[in-house]
Structures are given as C-alpha cells and as structure tokens.
Amino acid sequence: MKSSSSYNEHRDRNFSHNDRREPVEEVQVEVGQRFPLTIKRLGINGEGIGYYKRKITFVPGALPDEVVVVEVTHVAAHFLNASLRQVREASPHRVEPHDAKAGEVGGFELEHLAYPQQLEFKRDVIQQSLERYKPRGWQHFTLKPTIGMENPYHYRNKAQFQVRQLEDGTIIAGLYKEGTHDLVDLPEAGTQNEATLTVIRELVKMLGELEVPIYDEEHGSGIIKTLVTRSSEATGEVQVTFVTNSKKLPRKRQLLELIKKRLPQVVSVMQNVNPGKTSLVWGDETVKLTGQDYITEELLGHKFQLSPRAFLQLNPKQTTKLYQEAIKALGLTRANRLVDAYSGVGTIGLTLADKLGEVRGMDTIPEAIDDANRNAALNDIDNAEYFTGTAESLLPQWVANGWRPDALVVDPPRAGLDETMIDTILQVRPEKFVYISCNPSTLAKDLVELGEAYRVDYIQSIDMFPQTARVEAVVKLSRR
Ligand code: SAH
C-alpha cells in the first residue's frame, strides 16, 4: 500500500538518528480543516489524543478507541488542537452527560466517560507522569486503584460564580467558557452540592429585585462581580461572600434583610473588595456584613471554622477518605514532631495532634493560619501551632533553630514543592513522610529529587473531583 510505505519513509527520515527533539516532518494543516481521527488515549487534561499524520492532536470530549471527525482549532509546531465534530464509532464507555452545559465550561471534562473508567484514567495519568519523569524505581511503584465516590455528583461544597447582566436586564451567574470571558449561566451544575446552588440562584433573584448594580467588565462600572457560597456538610451552614468592584454596596440593608428572611441557612455574609479589572477573583480586603465570621465544618470528629479566604478541600465526603489515607500512610507510632506543611486551616495536623508530641504547620494565607490556631483551641488541642509563611522559608528556619520534625505531611498547590523545600526535606530526612498531591506532573518531578533519600511505598489516588480530569493522590514515602 502506497500510503504506508511513504509513512515508513517519513519515519525513517525523522527517527533513524537518535535525536528525539527533531520536529516531525512539516504537516500541511490549517485551522478549520476537518478529518477523521482515531483516538488512542486520554491526555492529562482528559482530552482525547490522536495522531494526524503523526502529529499529536488533542481533542476535548473524545474517548480512547473512538473514531471521530475533528476540526482543527489551533496549529502549533508540535501539536494540533481540534474540536470534536462527530463521533463515528463511539467508545462503549461513552455515557450521556448529565449536564446540558457540560463541555462548555471547565469542570466537566470527563462527564461523557463512565465513572469506573474515570477512576482508571486518574490512576493512568499518574502512571503517564511517572513514565515521563522517571523517578528512581518508578517501574516498581505500586499504584493502588483510585478510591471513588458512591454517587459521583453534587459534591462541591463551594461555588464561585461570576455575575453579569445581559442587555435585556437578565442577571446570570456561572462560569466562563474555557479560555474566554463568555459567561455561561449555570442554574444547574451536576458537580455542585445543592446548598451552594440554591443560595446562588436565590441571591441572583434578590440582586434583580433590588436592582443592585452588577459589574460591567467592559466599562468597569457596576458593583457585584462574583458570588461565592460555601456550605458545611456537617452543620448545613452556608457562608456567602459578595466580591465587589468597590467598597460601596448599594441596597446593602435591604439585601441583608432579604437574605435573613429567605435564606435561613446563611449564617455568615461577607464582602470582599476587589476593584477594577483583574484576573484575580479575590481582592485583599474582606469585611463582615452580617452574622458570623465563619461557618463550621466537621472532619474526622474535629470542628473547623472557616473564613472566606481559607482553603478547604472541595469534596467533604472524599476529604474524610483522603485524610484517613494520609493518616494510614503516615503510620504514626513513634513520631514526636509533625509538620503539616501547606496546612490550610490545619485540618490534617489537628486531626493527628492527639497522637503526637507536637504539631507545627504553615500556610501563606494569614486568615487560614488564624483559623488553624483558633481551630486548635476549639478542639482543645494545645500541642499544635500554625504560622503564616511559606513552607520553603519556615521549615529551614525551624530546623536551623534546632526544631527537627520526624514526621512530615506536604500538601502543596499545583506547582508542587519549591526547590528550597525539597533541599530542606533531603537535609532533615524525617522518618515519616507523606506527600499529598493534586498534580501528577509536579509530583513525578518532585519524586525524582526526593528519590535520593526516599523510596515510594505506594501511591493511592483518590477521586476528589468526579467528572473532571483533576487527580489527587496520597504518596507514602519511606526513608532509604
Ligand atoms: N492541607 C490543607 C490545604 C491544602 S491546599 C487541606 O487539606 O485543606 C494548599 C495550601 O497551600 C493552600 O492553603 C495555600 O494557601 C497554601 N500554600 C501555597 N503556597 C504555599 C507555600 N509556598 N508555603 C506554604 N503554604 C502554601
């Protein structure tokens, strides 16, 4: 067959000499072009991956083993982006998404994939990252099957929805279409819990009734930019935060009265001031409008008060499992001093404090640290203390001052561990070490360096974000 022999010629020309970086022979392709494609696997963002004349092609919404028709949306030197136009041969694991808006906004990348296969994907993504970075001994790592949810919907305890007013006066609240500022109204969102959505919809109604000015991005006018609701699984309490374009909040009194009357579950109403055009959702200043400063959540028998800015895991049911896995992996029997690094409101360290001599933790958000220290008191814990600052600056200081931990939990953001943090860990070498990761790429990369002193006993993935491509894992490490 002619095409296959010319294919082989290409291959020989490009790969006969050992330069893997040499670009694939220029593929003539343009934006808008359509062609059929067979999908080979899912990439780390949950998108289908196929090869168009050997050029890697990313197709959101396509599944492995499918034959699809795609339309090219972006041509780059080493890859193509394409949109899914038609599924000619569907995967047996393709399911009808629950959400009409799925695919339009972020957060539903895998809703068209059956849940057991979503769980497999999450383990596979970790495998792919290990293959890419090859930390020492990676071929022998144990990757346990992902721990999923019984009902993988309605789990998110927080909604952070942008608000806009359409030309006909309608107020909408939801999320942006990926990579744009086109807001998609989300009266329903299968991943949100009911409390967060009910309150947002009611607030939108109130804003309309009271004609509170809604932020207008184009003119920089108006007030209400974002509505944030967070609910407590244990107590049912809801906290509302209005993110506003100025300190002024017109019709504040009437708004608070309506909330009191119609939304008794709302126990805390806050305002965060974030003036002007900015890509950040939150501004620096948060003030209380009415009620409490916090809502209270319970995890593993401990109470946690949460202020608006403080991080809390978004899936309460899975958080319990995540922490149980972290505790199991830490296997504390003799540990004396634990560091709860990237602590948020101290959930991990405080849950473990009664098994330890002393707990120290740190986080960069001062409000989270205030919450953590207050939460220690709230739970009658007197051997835990939390500090504001970066893990990479505080841990070396503590060690320099003679305070050496023998147990360490790190739970960094997507960027993974800072270089100084890794160096400090390699220097201190705590006996017990658990790495909780929300990004397999940075995890695999960090494990390359950590491999000098630690081996990986196992990696346990836990599905914190069903229907999305996000992956969370607990890694048990042992000192070599
Ligand atoms: N362990 C907590 C929070 C994990 S999220 C929990 O399970 O709830 C990661 C946290 O790291 C966030 O609270 C963020 O504010 C914090 N953070 C980000 N960069 C940091 C750094 N360099 N040092 C310490 N904390 C950091």
Side-chain angles (χ1 to χ4, degrees), residues 25-36:
E25 172 125 337
E26 206 43 56
V27 176
Q28 287 302 314
V29 59
E30 284 171 15
V31 169
Q33 196 174 324
R34 292 189 184 196
F35 48 78

Side-chain angles (χ1 to χ4, degrees), residues 116-142:
Q117 280 68 39
Q118 290 187 24
L119 296 178
E120 276 177 26
F121 160 78
K122 295 193 178 193
R123 184 164 166 268
D124 185 57
V125 167
I126 298 173
Q127 183 69 33
Q128 284 186 39
S129 302
L130 295 174
E131 278 168 22
R132 174 142 180 249
Y133 289 99
K134 301 186 170 38
R136 189 169 156 189
W138 67 276
Q139 299 97 323
H140 310 295
F141 290 180
T142 303

Side-chain angles (χ1 to χ4, degrees), residues 225-280:
K225 285 180 151 179
T226 311
L227 292 176
V228 185
T229 56
R230 174 145 74 177
S231 69
S232 159
E233 174 102 341
T235 61
E237 295 175 342
V238 176
Q239 179 171 63
V240 169
T241 308
F242 295 99
V243 181
T244 59
N245 187 32
S246 77
K247 213 166 167 174
K248 208 173 86 189
L249 178 52
R251 294 208 276 256
K252 177 160 61 182
R253 196 174 43 78
Q254 296 95 313
L255 185 59
L256 295 178
E257 270 167 22
L258 277 190
I259 292 175
K260 194 171 171 192
K261 204 161 82 192
R262 295 193 203 158
L263 294 169
Q265 66 272 48
V266 174
V267 301
S268 166
V269 184
M270 314 289 284
Q271 178 182 0
N272 175 268
V273 187
N274 189 19
K277 253 200 184 133
T278 152
S279 58
L280 301 176

Side-chain angles (χ1 to χ4, degrees), residues 193-211:
N193 76 12
E194 211 203 309
T196 54
L197 268 186
T198 310
V199 172
I200 289 213
R201 292 335 283 187
E202 192 56 44
L203 291 172
V204 166
K205 245 196 306 187
M206 292 174 191
L207 294 173
E209 283 171 34
L210 297 173
E211 297 181 6

Side-chain angles (χ1 to χ4, degrees), residues 35-145:
F35 48 78
L37 194 72
T38 302
I39 303 300
K40 300 291 184 194
R41 61 190 164 93
L42 290 176
I44 54 168
N45 300 311
E47 70 286 64
I49 290 179
Y51 294 86
Y52 176 68
K53 300 187 177 162
R54 303 189 29 247
K55 194 160 179 150
I56 191 164
T57 305
F58 298 104
V59 191
L63 294 174
D65 301 327
E66 290 190 330
V67 179
V68 297
V69 178
V70 304
E71 181 174 320
V72 176
T73 55
H74 178 74
V75 180
H78 295 281
F79 64 90
L80 303 175
N81 288 338
S83 62
L84 178 62
R85 305 307 305 190
Q86 190 202 338
V87 179
R88 282 195 181 159
E89 286 171 39
S91 157
H93 304 305
R94 179 174 281 279
V95 294
E96 193 59 43
H98 283 41
D99 289 273
K101 304 276 177 69
E104 276 191 52
V105 297
F108 299 93
E109 296 81 15
L110 290 179
E111 211 183 4
H112 55 295
L113 178 63
Y115 192 56
Q117 280 68 39
Q118 290 187 24
L119 296 178
E120 276 177 26
F121 160 78
K122 295 193 178 193
R123 184 164 166 268
D124 185 57
V125 167
I126 298 173
Q127 183 69 33
Q128 284 186 39
S129 302
L130 295 174
E131 278 168 22
R132 174 142 180 249
Y133 289 99
K134 301 186 170 38
R136 189 169 156 189
W138 67 276
Q139 299 97 323
H140 310 295
F141 290 180
T142 303
L143 269 62
K144 298 191 181 187

Side-chain angles (χ1 to χ4, degrees), residues 220-391:
S221 59
I223 303 293
I224 305 281
K225 285 180 151 179
T226 311
L227 292 176
V228 185
T229 56
R230 174 145 74 177
S231 69
S232 159
E233 174 102 341
T235 61
E237 295 175 342
V238 176
Q239 179 171 63
V240 169
T241 308
F242 295 99
V243 181
T244 59
N245 187 32
S246 77
K247 213 166 167 174
K248 208 173 86 189
L249 178 52
R251 294 208 276 256
K252 177 160 61 182
R253 196 174 43 78
Q254 296 95 313
L255 185 59
L256 295 178
E257 270 167 22
L258 277 190
I259 292 175
K260 194 171 171 192
K261 204 161 82 192
R262 295 193 203 158
L263 294 169
Q265 66 272 48
V266 174
V267 301
S268 166
V269 184
M270 314 289 284
Q271 178 182 0
N272 175 268
V273 187
N274 189 19
K277 253 200 184 133
T278 152
S279 58
L280 301 176
V281 172
W282 293 85
D284 290 334
E285 190 187 353
T286 306
V287 292
K288 181 168 76 175
L289 298 179
T290 189
Q292 305 162 192
D293 287 314
Y294 329 98
I295 54 169
T296 305
E297 181 59 288
E298 280 171 36
L299 290 165
L300 298 176
H302 291 70
K303 286 188 165 51
F304 294 96
Q305 293 185 337
L306 307 164
S307 55
R309 295 298 304 273
F311 175 90
L312 185 77
Q313 301 285 349
L314 290 166
N315 183 336
K317 288 205 175 66
Q318 294 299 88
T319 300
T320 303
K321 296 182 200 167
L322 175 73
Y323 291 168
Q324 279 166 341
E325 284 301 323
I327 291 167
K328 192 167 94 189
L330 212 49
L332 293 177
T333 44
R334 298 185 307 274
N336 185 20
R337 290 172 171 166
L338 170 79
V339 169
D340 176 7
Y342 313 86
S343 65
V345 299
T347 39
I348 296 175
L350 295 179
T351 313
L352 283 165
D354 62 354
K355 298 183 179 64
L356 289 153
E358 198 183 344
V359 175
R360 282 191 189 181
M362 79 293 268
D363 197 286
T364 44
I365 296 184
E367 289 93 330
I369 291 305
D370 290 345
D371 289 355
N373 286 317
R374 212 186 35 257
N375 287 329
L378 187 70
N379 291 285
D380 295 321
I381 293 167
D382 58 10
N383 61 340
E385 195 172 358
Y386 284 84
F387 301 84
T388 302
T390 62

